[in-house]
Amino acid sequence: MSNKTTEPAIVKSGIKAVAELAGVGIASVSRVLSGQPGSSPQMTQRVMDAARQLGYAPNVLAQSLRRRATHSIGFVGSDINNPLIASIVSGAESVLSVAKYSVLLTNSGGDPGVDAQRIDVLLQRQVDGLIVLPALEDDPATLAALRGAQAPVVLIDRTLPSDIGAHYVLSDHFQGLGDAGRHLLQAGHSRIGLVVGLDVRPTRERIRGVEAAFDSLGLARNLIVHRGRLSPEHGEQAIEELLSGENPPSAVILGGNQLLEGALRAVHRRNLTLGVDLSLVSCDDLPLCRLHHPPIATVMRDTALLGRRAAELLLAQLREPGATDPELMPTWFEARASCGPFVGSASTSAASPGAKKRAKQGPSISSK
């Protein structure tokens, strides 16, 4: 008599077993499990119940290879620590998930060389398409990687050479910055500082918008442009340098939300009150813009909408490839108390009338 115990045989359930248990054909099971249309709710429920009962899961990789589609989209972001990028990604994913696409998110940290590497890696993973917001528009490695892409590519807020068959979703920075510039000029500010990033489309359009504001009012372009990499450090340095000149501007526009924290450090260190000693405008609404006292005037845009439109455009290209015109998404200016009428140039020290009054009060950031 054997002492061995007999263990039940473990049978690997396949699609045929699911079809038999559900009482449907194999083709019907394949259609339901792959998410294809054409199955009734009752049949779908029977197939899903049978698959769960048998512990069956389809081989997604094998299905993808057979169809030459992975149902995945690669997203290359320049800085996912930026709330703007996070909002764009969230908007894109809200559309792609409904269409049953997964998103593979990568971050270059603003390094164009890493942008190119991430693009290559995603293409090697055979993503069905790419959404890209690169650090630069003229980096040779990034351009080479995109030229080699066989999948459709959608660029957000960047423009590339025409030989790269990309599709574009862009923000109308010209309009929003132009409105902000006109607001300041009509309030009497004739000398304006503009802090911008590297030479990419948003920078060029923001400069062009403020210049057009001067032109539209028949005023000389008394504009000081301070360029650098968008960061808190750049914002702080720019404010210090702009206000330390012999003829400092009475108003400053920050062309990027990453600049605001550093700019406010410089403002508070000088004991300046916004809207009195210096008028300040930022871009892309952050909680800090609303919670600061006084609230910061902002050039607004719907960043989640940018992501949604990029995803919709990419899905349309996957269904029916073809040339498209760039899509231009609106921006608008929301005036807040950080912009006041001109009363004189910001002082190079805490010696202006408003600053003297508050010299002992320190920074004014609301804790609400």
Side-chain angles (χ1 to χ4, degrees), residues 1-7:
M1 182 175 177
S2 174
N3 292 327
K4 294 181 179 179
T5 58
T6 303
E7 296 183 0

Side-chain angles (χ1 to χ4, degrees), residues 61-73:
L61 178 59
Q63 289 178 351
S64 298
L65 293 175
R66 284 195 297 271
R67 298 189 194 118
R68 297 177 180 267
T70 61
H71 267 254
S72 61
I73 300 298

Side-chain angles (χ1 to χ4, degrees), residues 82-143:
N82 184 348
L84 178 146
I85 304 296
S87 178
I88 291 173
V89 172
S90 178
E93 191 166 29
S94 70
V95 171
L96 294 170
S97 62
V98 171
K100 301 188 183 302
Y101 281 83
S102 59
V103 177
L104 304 182
L105 174 63
T106 68
N107 176 39
S108 71
D111 185 333
V114 177
D115 276 333
Q117 294 172 10
R118 297 293 186 264
I119 292 167
D120 285 337
V121 167
L122 290 169
L123 292 175
Q124 289 168 11
R125 290 178 175 269
Q126 298 184 334
V127 294
D128 296 335
L130 287 172
I131 299 175
V132 186
L133 205 171
L136 297 176
E137 297 173 331
D138 57 358
D139 176 66
T142 301
L143 297 179

